[in-house]
């Protein structure tokens, strides 16, 4: 499959509500532009009562249909119809996609919120089917209800996102990610390439909850970890997830994925009970795939937190306004790098003020045979060194043409920054051609 166009999701560097637009006065060796800032609209609170009401509806559907909402059973189709009706009433463009598995008809529900960049789709989803043994309220009514209420919150807000928002509810996940695989595999390649990211919620309200974040796409992982950090709730990386839920269908197609999980049949450790509360030595969800996975099998706190976390991700990524890069300063004077020698090249930064950003970009252009000889550091005005590149006895390629991102938020922006280049191996020399700092 040809490499996908980089579709990395970029997130707001902190939710900034004011656009810093001071135009800086150009200096001799600098090109400047409006001060940079990334904008994102803060998400609303997702009412727990609304999410729980959806769970009560799904429980009622199971009760009225043989006690489950499994693939091929009437309870599943009733679940699809119930959610579709709410989304149609909320102004979504919905579609029910059929597929056949084990000789039974399955259904996916896709809901598109009108507007946003059709070339940048942020999708959130959850599997709606249960196992045959029960109502599947945590697995996965919880994820389905959280995604539904987030979609309804988008409608209530009449949100006008910059990305196009799409939501999905998958069939037959319990039989092997069947519905989501069908969706991804039947999506035209051109449409698949437009999906900038997929967020998966599968089991997000386990009664003895852990707070796990998928560690697939860094941007999506960061959004969720930042959200939980703001709550003061520690998170762990989801380690048993690879291939275990619908995000795998998207990841296998090269789409950036992320998601949340509160645990299944694994036992909560003492250390986890220390950080999260709950009970060590018993499963995160003792009713996993059992008939007791009912409305009583829910942690309200976990359901509330994960519903709000999803909304935070949808609003943060879905409404981000990418602004032009910030002020930049460049030094194009060649500086020779002799063998086994250390040299520096200065850039004087002025007029920026305040602290340097957490995403300070250092673009470096060094002509040098066998670049593995080189160690490269960025020196802040106070002398603090930030390692950009280590030496390598195996990297025989020539030249360094790279942009490094440095968290320089503890440094004053204005002052003399230096690029320090050390040639640490005999033979091969070169020169600094140019380098640039963008704030
Ligand atoms: N396979 C899911 C439950 C599950 C187990 N491990 C993970 C990790 C991440 C998400 C989900 C899961 C199911 O039974 O639906
Ligand atoms: Ca909430
Ligand atoms: Zn399951
Ligand atoms: Zn599940």
């Amino acid at each position: 499959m040809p490499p996908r166009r980089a579709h990395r999701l970029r997130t707001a560097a902190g939710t900034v509500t004011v656009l810093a637009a001071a135009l800086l006065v150009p200096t001799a060796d600098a090109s400047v532009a409006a001060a940079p800032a990334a904008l994102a609209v803060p998400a609303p609170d997702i009412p727990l009562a609304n999410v729980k009401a959806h769970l009560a509806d799904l429980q009622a559907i199971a009760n009225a249909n043989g006690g489950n909402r499994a693939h091929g059973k009437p309870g599943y189709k009733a679940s699809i119809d119930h959610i579709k009706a709410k989304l149609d009433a909320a102004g979504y463009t919905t579609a029910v996609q059929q597929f056949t598995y084990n000789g039974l008809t399955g259904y996916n529900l896709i809901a598109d919120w009108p507007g946003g960049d059709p070339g940048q789709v942020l999708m959130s989803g959850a599997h709606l089917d249960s196992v045959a043994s029960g109502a599947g309220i945590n697995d996965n009514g919880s994820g389905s209800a959280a995604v539904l209420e987030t979609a309804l919150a988008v409608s209530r807000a009449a949100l006008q996102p910059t990305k196009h928002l799409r939501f999905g509810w998958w069939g037959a996940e319990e039989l092997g990610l069947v519905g989501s695989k069908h969706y991804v595999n039947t999506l035209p390649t051109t449409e698949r390439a437009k999906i900038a990211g997929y967020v998966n919620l599968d089991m997000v309200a386990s009664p003895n909850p852990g707070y796990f974040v998928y560690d697939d796409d860094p941007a999506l992982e960061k959004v969720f970890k930042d959200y939980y950090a703001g709550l003061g709730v520690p998170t762990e990386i989801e380690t048993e997830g690879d291939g275990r839920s619908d995000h795998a269908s998207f990841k296998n197609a090269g789409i950036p994925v992320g998601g949340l999980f509160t645990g299944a049949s694994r036992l909560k450790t003492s250390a986890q009970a220390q950080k999260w509360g709950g009970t060590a030595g018993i499963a995160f969800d003792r009713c996993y795939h059992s008939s007791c996975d009912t409305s009583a099998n829910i942690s309200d706190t976990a359901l509330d937190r994960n519903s709000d976390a999803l909304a935070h991700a949808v609003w943060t990524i879905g409404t981000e306004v990418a602004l032009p890069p910030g002020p930049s300063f460049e030094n194009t004077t060649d500086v020779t790098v002799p063998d086994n020698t250390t040299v520096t090249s200065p850039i004087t930064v002025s007029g920026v003020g305040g602290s340097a950003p957490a995403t300070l970009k250092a673009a470096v252009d060094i002509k040098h045979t066998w670049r593995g000889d080189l160690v490269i550091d960025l020196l802040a005005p106070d002398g603090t060194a930030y390692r950009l590149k280590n030496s390598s006895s195996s990297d025989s390629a020539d030249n360094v043409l790279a942009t490094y991102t440095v968290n320089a938020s503890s440094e004053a922006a204005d002052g003399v920054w230096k690029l320090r280049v050390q040639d640490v191996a005999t033979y091969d020399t070169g020169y600094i051609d140019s380098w640039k700092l963008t704030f």
Side-chain angles (χ1 to χ4, degrees):
M1 173 187 297
R4 281 174 41 78
R5 186 159 57 90
H7 257 301
R8 281 285 180 219
L9 284 169
R10 287 176 297 107
T11 60
T15 302
V16 178
T17 53
V18 176
L19 175 61
L23 185 62
L24 299 169
V25 175
T27 57
D29 61 352
S31 58
V32 295
L39 284 180
V41 176
D45 174 69
I46 299 299
L48 172 62
N50 293 8
V51 186
K52 287 185 69 72
H54 300 319
L55 294 184
D57 293 340
L58 294 176
Q59 180 68 65
I61 287 170
N63 295 346
N65 291 280
N68 70 72
R69 299 179 305 101
H71 167 70
K73 304 289 188 185
Y76 179 73
K77 183 61 167 58
S79 301
I80 282 278
D81 294 343
H82 178 77
I83 290 183
K84 181 181 189 296
K86 288 186 178 290
L87 292 162
D88 288 338
Y92 278 83
T93 304
T94 61
V96 175
Q97 180 185 50
Q98 288 193 14
F99 59 88
T100 301
Y101 188 77
N102 286 350
L104 298 169
T105 302
Y107 306 89
N108 294 323
L109 172 61
I110 308 299
D112 283 276
W113 180 244
D117 177 357
Q120 283 277 301
V121 177
L122 176 62
M123 190 165 192
S124 307
H127 76 84
L128 183 58
D129 62 311
S130 74
V131 291
S133 56
I137 298 306
N138 183 38
D139 183 18
N140 183 40
S142 63
S144 296
V147 172
L148 172 60
E149 190 56 27
T150 298
L152 296 178
V154 165
S155 172
R156 287 195 296 268
L159 195 64
Q160 294 183 329
T162 50
K163 293 185 178 62
H164 178 78
L165 302 181
R166 180 174 299 156
F167 301 88
W169 290 264
W170 311 117
E173 183 273 348
E174 300 289 7
L175 303 175
L177 320 184
V178 178
S180 58
K181 280 177 184 171
H182 179 81
Y183 172 75
V184 174
N185 295 341
T186 57
L187 205 57
T189 307
T190 51
E191 291 306 308
R192 204 185 295 171
K194 295 174 183 175
I195 302 179
Y198 171 73
V199 175
N200 191 61
L201 268 64
D202 184 355
M203 300 183 72
V204 294
S206 305
N208 187 26
Y211 293 92
F212 299 96
V213 174
Y214 296 8
D215 66 337
D216 299 280
D217 178 71
L220 289 170
E221 178 185 350
K222 183 178 188 306
V223 164
F224 287 124
K225 288 174 79 168
D226 286 352
Y227 180 78
Y228 270 103
L231 293 182
V233 175
T235 54
E236 288 187 10
I237 293 306
E238 166 36 54
T239 55
E240 66 169 296
D242 282 353
R244 294 286 302 267
S245 192
D246 294 303
H247 59 298
S249 303
F250 290 81
K251 186 175 184 178
N252 293 339
I255 295 169
V257 301
L260 298 166
F261 179 55
T262 49
S265 52
R266 269 189 187 173
L267 306 187
K268 181 180 278 186
T269 67
S270 301
Q272 289 171 330
Q274 281 291 324
K275 74 169 92 167
W276 288 325
T279 310
I282 68 166
F284 295 103
D285 180 353
R286 284 189 288 186
C287 290
Y288 177 57
H289 285 188
S290 306
S291 59
C292 57
D293 187 4
T294 65
S295 300
N297 187 48
I298 290 293
S299 159
D300 286 359
T301 301
L303 183 63
D304 190 21
R305 285 172 172 172
N306 282 320
S307 300
D308 290 334
L310 174 63
H312 173 74
V314 169
W315 261 256
T316 299
I317 299 171
T319 69
E320 181 182 39
V321 176
L323 292 170
S328 58
F329 302 79
E330 190 172 18
N331 186 336
T332 58
T333 305
D334 291 359
V335 177
T336 302
V337 182
D339 218 8
N340 291 304
T341 305
T342 298
V343 300
T344 60
S345 170
I347 285 181
T348 300
V349 172
S350 63
V352 175
S355 300
T359 54
L360 175 64
K361 304 287 186 195
V364 173
D365 182 350
I366 298 174
K367 305 293 194 290
H368 191 294
T369 51
W370 198 295
R371 67 185 174 204
D373 284 10
L374 299 181
V375 172
I376 306 174
D377 293 293
L378 174 65
L379 304 183
D382 69 356
T384 305
Y386 294 85
R387 179 55 52 84
L388 304 183
K389 173 192 175 297
N390 290 310
S391 61
S392 163
S393 60
S394 60
D395 185 359
S396 61
D398 296 339
N399 307 329
V400 177
L401 185 60
T403 298
Y404 304 94
T405 301
V406 174
N407 180 355
S409 53
S410 63
E411 306 294 342
D414 293 339
V416 179
W417 295 74
K418 292 178 182 171
L419 188 72
R420 180 172 68 193
V421 178
Q422 304 174 66
D423 181 310
V424 297
T426 304
Y427 308 124
D428 296 293
T429 60
Y431 65 96
I432 302 172
D433 192 344
S434 68
W435 71 290
K436 179 164 76 171
L437 285 176
T438 301
F439 287 78

